Amino acid sequence: MEANALTALAASLDGAFTRALDTLGGIAGRVVVTGMGKSGHVARKIAATLASTGTPAFFVHPGEASHGDLGMIAREDAVIALSNSGETHELSDVIAYTRRFAIPLIGVTRRAGSSLAEQSDVALVLPSAPEACPLGLAPTTSTTMMLALGDALAVALLERRGFTASDFKELHPGGQLGRALLKVTDVMHKGDDMPLCRLHTPLSDVILEMTAKRLGCVGVLDDEGVLVGVITDGDLRRHLKPELLAERADSILSPRPKTIRPKALVVEALREMNEKQITSLFVIEADRPLGVVHIHDCLRAGAA
């Protein structure tokens, strides 16, 4: 029954949905979402989804609004009010407040002739569909449609704003989502922490640099600062001989080192290192090193 209602909801979307997007996308303030009972729980979720996808939003309880929380609603804001019947008594003060101060009001209801629909600047009317409850009373189908409509508004606004994965990461720094969107520049070693040397650097100094930076490699630069090679601890072992310390970096370096671009995700760097069976990648821009990322950095960031 709920699935059928969602299909009907999708088919019913019309110019009102576009007007709602224009309203929400045109305000200078935030989106305030409100509702009572089960509609209130859905309103909280819609507010959270809007906020996490680039549209500043928060929930206001209509009962608390009548006792001072109306002050949380500014004149630059817009209000989305959810009520299946459109006659929820607790919403009356919020509706009156928006009318008094010309705050845009978007009503979501199943009754086109209800007080909420008539007072709203934009009324999003849900199609008539029975509740999935055997008694036909408990909010089930109606709240599912409200939730889907809220998601549709949030995603459409996300697309309008050009909200990117990078923006998403800024709002989701914690949890698996945040870790999955980390860039190599977020975890790389840079500046004085980068193990670097020149082509003519004695290998005795290269070993000291590798030991001090503890990444198992040293990037080799030419006179222009371009990364031309890399020396790993494996290279040192393979070339081990009594006179090794007297030689220079260019005598044992591995040319064309594996590198990665600054905007690459940590998960991409980890995959590259696993495929190439290496433990470090230099992050470069215009052939010059910005940093170096080690496989342990990726694992600590939770990219695995």
Side-chain angles (χ1 to χ4, degrees):
M1 293 172 71
E2 293 186 1
N4 291 336
L6 290 177
T7 301
L9 174 62
S12 73
L13 294 183
D14 54 16
F17 184 82
T18 304
R19 292 196 299 275
L21 289 177
D22 292 339
T23 299
L24 297 175
I27 61 173
R30 303 150 303 172
V31 177
V32 180
V33 193
T34 187
M36 193 70 190
K38 303 301 184 294
S39 296
H41 292 299
V42 174
R44 288 181 186 274
K45 193 275 178 184
I46 292 174
T49 300
L50 286 166
S52 71
T53 52
T55 301
F58 64 95
F59 171 79
V60 169
H61 191 286
E64 298 294 337
S66 299
H67 295 275
D69 282 3
L70 282 173
M72 300 171 69
I73 307 173
R75 300 191 186 190
E76 297 79 15
D77 297 340
V79 173
I80 301 176
L82 278 62
S83 170
N84 186 39
S85 67
E87 302 294 345
T88 303
H89 173 72
E90 290 86 352
L91 286 175
S92 58
D93 288 335
V94 175
I95 295 172
Y97 188 79
T98 64
R99 302 305 80 193
R100 178 182 178 188
F101 294 106
I103 296 170
L105 173 64
I106 297 171
V108 180
T109 179
R110 194 156 55 172
R111 293 181 56 204
S114 64
S115 299
L116 175 59
E118 291 180 350
Q119 293 299 322
S120 296
D121 296 291
V122 181
L124 298 177
V125 180
L126 304 173
S128 180
E131 301 287 8
C133 162
L135 302 176
L137 299 174
T140 47
T141 303
S142 58
T143 49
T144 297
M145 287 192 289
M146 287 179 180
L147 188 63
L149 189 59
D151 284 345
L153 288 170
V155 172
L157 285 169
L158 176 154
E159 292 179 346
R160 278 197 178 195
R161 296 178 188 277
F163 195 76
T164 66
S166 178
D167 298 322
F168 195 85
K169 183 252 179 183
E170 292 297 323
L171 299 179
H172 298 76
Q176 186 60 38
L177 286 174
R179 291 192 294 271
L181 293 171
L182 278 176
K183 293 187 177 69
V184 291
T185 49
D186 296 321
V187 301
M188 72 182 185
H189 303 265
K190 55 188 176 181
D192 292 339
D193 292 331
M194 271 193 295
L196 297 172
C197 71
R198 296 286 178 171
L199 283 166
H200 55 271
T201 303
L203 285 176
S204 57
D205 292 340
V206 172
I207 293 173
L208 291 176
E209 176 76 353
M210 187 182 298
T211 303
K213 303 302 171 62
R214 303 174 63 180
L215 293 176
C217 68
V218 174
V220 183
L221 309 179
D222 65 12
D223 292 336
E224 303 299 324
V226 172
L227 184 71
V228 295
V230 65
I231 299 174
T232 68
D233 49 8
D235 292 325
L236 291 173
R237 287 193 297 272
R238 282 187 291 273
H239 291 86
L240 190 60
K241 54 187 176 181
E243 61 274 20
L244 179 65
L245 296 182
E247 296 187 14
R248 303 188 317 174
D250 57 358
S251 65
I252 70 166
L253 67 80
S254 298
R256 297 181 297 279
K258 302 296 185 295
T259 61
I260 196 163
R261 66 192 191 285
K263 292 184 179 180
L265 298 179
V266 170
V267 289
E268 182 181 340
L270 182 62
R271 185 189 69 245
E272 183 78 5
M273 284 186 274
N274 283 331
E275 289 178 355
K276 299 295 190 298
Q277 295 186 329
I278 56 178
T279 58
S280 295
L281 283 171
F282 276 89
V283 182
I284 66 165
E285 190 169 55
D287 295 328
R288 286 168 171 77
L290 299 179
V292 57
V293 58
H294 192 275
I295 193 168
H296 291 165
D297 302 321
C298 300
L299 296 176
R300 276 194 295 269

